[in-house]
Amino acid sequence: MHDHHEREETAPEGASTTDSSAAGAPAPTAPATQPVSRDAEYWAKGVTILHADQKPSDGINLNVTGRRVVSPIQGFGQMWEKTYQVRLAGASVTPEEVVAVWKEEFPSFWPSGNRFYRPLTGIRPGEVAVLNLSMAPMVRLSTGVMVLYADPESFTLMTPQGHVFAGWITFSARKDGDVTVAQAEVLMRANDPFYEVGLILGGHTRENRFWEYTLVSLAARFGVDGQVISEYQLIDKHRQWKNAKNAWHNAMIRSALYDVTRPVRWGAQKVRRSS
Amino acid sequence: MHQFQAEVRHRDGVAVIDLLGDVNAEAEQALDAATREAEAYNPNTILLNFTNVGYINSTGIALIVGILARARRERRSVAACGLSEHYQEIFTITRLSDFMRMFPDEESALAEQPAV
């Protein structure tokens, strides 16, 4: 199940507090007997460097393989928690059924122009998907996500270096009285200063519309004309300037360079074939 | 389901938060209250004791990220102890371990003072 990944072997960057043995701290050894955690099967295992095999015929697979996943702590910009909810009033459906459909048909709920190339095995812990996102007319972003966690009532996607934001998105469903409520919750920080500016200049609004559209589509799948309730909370208003260097991995810049240099690559390929 | 509880103790200038039960969305209120109680003493370090935690989901990890973000803003360190191998791995994958040192138990964490 996890053959798309490699275990990371190099020390993480900026990890002065990570390698406890190097820092002289006792190694975090486990107690002698450990029961298997109830959540064990739901988490990705041994994955920090991503590998994506997908070769989309109508898209590109860039900025995924070799990248590390990043939590909101590794990002640059202000840290936000955004929650989008839709009540599936009138639909006779359990939270487990909603999440099962959400996993199975995940790309179909997205706004047009955005593609989610999932692995053949579907949304399972540790799997990697390739994303081609429409950022503006003629501007596309190729990046990816890793399935960090998946249980019957929720699943979480974590972003890699170069993605617009560092963090994760949790999709879940729960009962509120007799009504099933579907929710998307984003915990994020813009990955670098360019993305932070972009988010301020309309990116946040576009992202909010994206997930609101997704939830309306999900509700429609269950025959509900859904109204999305959105909440945004600023968790940390500070920007982490030491992480400005994350811009090196910026997937939007790299995707644009890829598209701009396409004629050069095409020409070079033609010359090689003819010689 | 194991009802979540969080209790705060202070030892040697470290605020120890003992976590008990499942760390998921339902833990938010208790965890937030415990964190605020711990911060009231302005400790240099908050030590999260996971010895009696047997379940963490992705929402629970997000709650811990919130604690970490707030502590970093206040220039306070956060450490963890009592994590099983499984949760040590989760903390590594989610990269919480980049900013949160992990110790096998409370004594070894406190022995590292003020390094924790």
Side-chain angles (χ1 to χ4, degrees), chain B residues 63-81:
Chain B
L63 296 178
I64 296 163
V65 168
I67 293 175
L68 196 50
R70 206 157 72 193
R72 286 170 62 78
R73 197 172 60 213
E74 305 292 328
R75 302 189 182 283
R76 196 172 277 136
S77 67
V78 179
C81 69

Side-chain angles (χ1 to χ4, degrees), chain B:
Chain B
M1 286 287 188
H2 300 272
Q3 182 70 38
F4 179 80
Q5 295 172 41
E7 292 180 3
V8 183
R9 294 178 287 120
H10 292 273
R11 279 189 69 185
D12 306 331
V14 174
V16 182
I17 304 181
D18 294 312
L19 310 176
L20 175 68
D22 295 352
V23 185
N24 54 23
E26 288 163 20
E28 182 170 9
Q29 218 167 9
L31 195 54
D32 190 52
T35 306
R36 289 186 192 286
E37 184 184 341
E39 289 169 343
Y41 288 86
N42 198 25
N44 290 328
T45 300
I46 294 175
L47 176 63
L48 300 173
N49 182 359
F50 287 88
T51 304
N52 293 308
V53 169
Y55 180 93
I56 307 177
N57 67 9
S58 56
T59 303
I61 289 290
L63 296 178
I64 296 163
V65 168
I67 293 175
L68 196 50
R70 206 157 72 193
R72 286 170 62 78
R73 197 172 60 213
E74 305 292 328
R75 302 189 182 283
R76 196 172 277 136
S77 67
V78 179
C81 69
L83 289 162
S84 67
E85 277 182 18
H86 167 63
Y87 291 125
Q88 288 173 38
E89 187 177 356
I90 300 308
F91 275 45
T92 302
I93 291 171
T94 55
R95 299 191 65 180
L96 290 183
S97 58
D98 285 16
F99 299 97
M100 184 185 288
R101 291 182 66 185
M102 299 184 287
F103 298 88
D105 51 45
E106 183 177 331
E107 297 310 318
S108 56
L110 294 174
E112 285 295 309
Q113 271 277 48
V116 294

Side-chain angles (χ1 to χ4, degrees), chain A residues 67-129:
Chain A
R67 299 299 170 90
R68 303 184 66 197
V69 288
V70 281
S71 81
I73 309 293
Q74 278 84 23
F76 167 81
Q78 295 179 321
M79 187 169 160
W80 288 89
E81 183 177 65
K82 301 181 177 187
T83 308
Y84 314 90
Q85 293 185 351
V86 65
R87 293 173 65 83
L88 305 177
S92 178
V93 62
T94 66
E96 290 88 347
E97 288 166 344
V98 170
V99 170
V101 168
W102 210 345
K103 285 177 183 169
E104 185 61 33
E105 303 173 19
F106 188 75
S108 70
F109 303 123
W110 280 17
S112 63
N114 299 283
R115 304 300 303 267
F116 178 93
Y117 301 101
R118 63 181 171 187
L120 289 174
T121 48
I123 294 181
R124 293 171 184 271
E127 297 293 359
V128 177

Side-chain angles (χ1 to χ4, degrees), chain A residues 22 30 36 38 42 71 78-79 89 94 114 124 137 146 163 179 185 211 223 241 248:
Chain A
V36 176
R38 286 180 287 129
Y42 303 141
S71 81
Q78 295 179 321
M79 187 169 160
T94 66
N114 299 283
R124 293 171 184 271
M146 181 191 80
H163 193 284
V179 177
E185 182 178 25
W211 294 117
W241 284 97
W248 173 251

Side-chain angles (χ1 to χ4, degrees), chain A residues 10-77:
Chain A
T10 54
E13 59 196 31
S16 59
T17 56
T18 305
D19 185 347
S20 54
S21 58
T29 53
T33 56
Q34 292 183 336
V36 176
S37 299
R38 286 180 287 129
D39 54 72
E41 65 182 296
Y42 303 141
W43 286 98
K45 303 253 183 348
V47 184
T48 43
I49 293 188
L50 306 184
H51 185 87
D53 289 334
Q54 292 93 323
K55 294 187 176 115
S57 57
D58 58 345
I60 52 173
N61 177 353
L62 274 185
N63 308 311
V64 182
T65 297
R67 299 299 170 90
R68 303 184 66 197
V69 288
V70 281
S71 81
I73 309 293
Q74 278 84 23
F76 167 81

